[in-house]
Structure formats: C-alpha cells, structure tokens
C-alpha cells in the first residue's frame, strides 16, 4: 500500500525552522487564527499531482508558489512516503533566486536531516537546492 507518512518543511513554513507533520493516521491541526493552518493544508495536494501555481492566489505581495513557500534557496517541502514497502521522499525546492520554478527531487531514502544539512563543513547550514544533487551523491543516495 502506498501512503504519505510525513510532511517536512525546512525553512519553508516558518523561517529558520524545521516543521514536521505526521500524516500517517489521524492528524489534527490547531492553533490561533492566522497561525498558518490553512497555509500548511494547501501544500498537501501537491503530493497528489496538483500544480503548485494553482494553489496560491496572486494577491498583495504573493507573487508565486515558489516565492511564497520556497522563499530561500535553502527552503524545502519534503513528502516522506511509503511505496511498495520502501520509505522514500520527494523534495521540492528552488534552484535560484530569479526563477519561479519548483524543482522536484525523488530520493530513495527516508528523511534524514543530514541529507539536507552540512553545507561547506557547517552541519547547521542547510544545503542550497542547486547543490542538493551533489550532496546526495556524496552520501551515496539515489
């Protein structure tokens, strides 16, 4: 059985934070008005094929999905999922500041913080999207 296990947001939902939402089983989101519950829920359809550009209304200072959810070159939206008994993930990110394109990297591994951190000998620094592929290869990840 194929299923989504977890949603992980690195510097995408809250600046500088890693937000993890378990999606395996029942999930309850609660919080104050304006806390971002609806914003978080709008991300889920992407895993099922929704076009990111259709999920963000262009109003005020919101220009695009990429500018809204992937504000930084080191912002990630990660869906960890189970497929045919294996746990894998797909990471969504941006490659450069001028592009409005969301890039997808399918990774044959469960989420591990070390796969997204450790740039330039700094284990607390998030890998930029443009360097993710080479960082994964260094870690022997497909």
């Amino acid at each position: 059985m194929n299923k989504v296990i977890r949603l992980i947001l690195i510097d995408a939902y809250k600046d500088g934070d890693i937000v993890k939402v378990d999606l395996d089983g029942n999930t309850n989101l609660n919080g104050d008005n304006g806390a971002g519950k609806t914003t978080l829920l709008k991300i889920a359809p992407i895993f099922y094929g929704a076009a990111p550009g259709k999920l963000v209304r262009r109003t005020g200072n919101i220009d695009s999905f990429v500018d809204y959810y992937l504000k930084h070159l080191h912002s990630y939206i990660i869906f960890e999922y189970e497929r045919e008994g294996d746990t894998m993930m797909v990471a969504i990110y941006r490659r450069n500041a001028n592009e409005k394109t969301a890039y997808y990297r399918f990774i044959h591994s469960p989420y591990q913080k070390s796969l997204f951190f450790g740039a330039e000998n700094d284990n607390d620094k998030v890998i930029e999207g443009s360097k993710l592929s080479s960082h994964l290869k260094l870690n022997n990840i497909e």
Side-chain angles (χ1 to χ4, degrees), residues 4-137:
V4 179
I5 299 170
R6 198 163 41 154
L7 171 64
I8 301 114
L9 303 160
I10 300 174
D11 204 16
Y13 182 63
K14 291 185 177 181
D15 284 346
D17 282 351
I18 299 173
V19 176
K20 298 177 188 173
V21 179
D22 290 326
L23 300 174
D24 189 16
N26 294 326
T27 301
N28 180 22
L29 293 175
N30 58 40
D32 294 333
N33 289 340
K37 299 177 297 294
T38 302
T39 300
L40 186 62
L41 284 172
K42 286 182 177 183
I43 296 171
I46 294 171
F47 182 80
Y48 298 101
K54 304 270 184 198
L55 300 176
V56 175
R57 285 190 332 197
R58 294 174 195 252
T59 59
N61 62 352
I62 300 172
D63 188 17
S64 70
F65 173 86
V66 172
D67 286 339
Y68 188 70
Y69 284 101
L70 303 170
K71 296 176 189 173
H72 310 287
L73 296 176
H74 51 269
S75 296
Y76 292 92
I77 298 170
I78 301 163
F79 289 97
E80 186 177 43
Y81 63 99
E82 193 173 279
R83 180 177 178 191
E84 299 175 3
D86 285 338
T87 303
M88 305 178 219
M89 65 180 142
V90 58
I92 305 167
Y93 59 96
R94 76 186 306 160
R95 284 194 185 162
N96 67 57
N98 299 324
E99 249 182 326
K100 306 287 187 207
T101 303
Y103 288 88
Y104 294 74
R105 171 75 54 190
F106 291 87
I107 304 166
H108 197 118
S109 171
Y111 170 76
Q112 302 168 53
K113 184 178 176 182
S114 63
L115 297 178
F116 297 91
F117 285 78
E120 301 167 11
N121 300 322
D122 184 353
N123 290 334
D124 293 329
K125 188 174 179 183
V126 184
I127 303 293
E128 288 186 9
S130 63
K131 298 175 183 170
L132 179 62
S133 182
S134 59
H135 184 71
L136 293 172
K137 286 179 187 175

